[in-house]
Amino acid sequence: MLIKRPSDIPSSEITEKNVYLHRREFLRTIAGTALATTAGTLIPEPLLRAQQPAPHSRKLTTRPSRLSTTEPPNSWDHITTFNNFYEFGTEVHEPAIHARDFKPEPWSVTIEGECARTGRLNLEDILRGETLEDRIYRHRCVEAWSMVIPWVGFPLSRLIEKCEPTSKAKFVMMTTLYDPSRMPGQRVPVVTWPYVEGLRMDEAMHPLTILAVGLYGEVLPNQNGAPLRLVVPWKYGFKSVKSIVKVAFVEREPINTWKRAASNEYGFYANVNPAVDHPRWSQATERRLPSLFKNRKTLPFNGYGDQVAGMYAGMDPKRLY
Ligand SMILES: Nc1nc2c(c(=O)[nH]1)N[C@H]1C(S)=C(S)[C@@H](COP(=O)(O)O)O[C@H]1N2
Ligand SMILES: [Mo]
């Protein structure tokens, strides 16, 4: 691989590592205490590989989707060793290590709020009769890195229809498991636990919005949000809440975790917008892993504008961040 010499690298690219460390510095400040981690150290690639379990060979039956991107996906190694999942540590290499012994089964999801079918659904009931699709999506983290990920999943709209929401249901709120004995990161108040995210009803019903249960045709690895996680490809990664145990239909816009933590930096909509800088860094470009440098322009709505921009007609694009 050709590595650029530092003198060739514009300063806009050099800031990259600082950018993704910033959110963590901020967290340490607000949390007072910090997880005892190797903060800021970058683990060399060969070491990461050595620590990685091989694909576990629990194959799923899937069919391809015409909603997939044709861009080449990142490797299994990249997708499973570079994760944001603060329940298992705030450094991107930590979830692969600390989520290893997490048991995502049995699993059930509580359905609450403005819908006819409140109650509890086992994961098996949620999946019964579903056709699982390979959905190869671009993923753009607010911290300016990106990947292409071959998810296995099904439209969130399918679950929503089963719940029969009432006309009062304007938003869907989804919540991650709260169990500090199984998710050690929750012993540290880096954010308000449990992690919650929400979508407006039309966003939740959009055919691009999926619940993922797999990766590369196999059952989802723990660090990627097993056994059930949201994927909303036109929004920054933090919208895609992992290890979901609750789906609630609500009338008012929910307060999502990152907005609660820093409403000056993170909003509810979180649509990928290269024209609106994050208060502390630019969103104009991104680093497509495994590159160490920003190597491509970020596209509005992460390249899914044709399919989703219509939902936001008339809204202030700054508010969409
Ligand atoms: N419960 C929970 N969900 C989460 C997060 C988290 O810390 N906790 N991080 C979010 C962020 S910032 C990103 S970029 C994606 C990362 O998903 P991946 O690790 O599967 O790539 O998960 C999102 N979902
Ligand atoms: Mo993210």
Side-chain angles (χ1 to χ4, degrees), residues 256-307:
N256 46 309
T257 293
W258 278 101
K259 184 173 175 180
R260 184 182 294 280
S263 60
N264 54 325
E265 304 198 354
Y266 307 101
F268 175 76
Y269 281 95
N271 290 324
V272 174
N273 190 342
V276 179
D277 288 350
H278 180 279
R280 289 181 287 146
W281 59 77
S282 162
Q283 294 291 9
T285 54
E286 66 198 56
R287 173 166 73 110
R288 173 65 54 82
L289 295 175
S291 172
L292 290 172
F293 307 106
K294 289 186 167 180
N295 56 2
R296 64 182 65 215
K297 287 200 160 109
T298 290
L299 298 171
F301 299 103
N302 201 24
Y304 297 94
D306 289 351
Q307 294 153 84

Side-chain angles (χ1 to χ4, degrees), residues 23 83-87 139 176 195 224 229 237 240 242:
R23 192 154 74 174
N83 302 101
N84 270 329
F85 199 173
Y86 280 21
E87 285 81 345
H139 171 103
T176 297
Y195 196 102
N224 293 91
R229 60 86 60 84
S240 293
K242 294 176 167 180

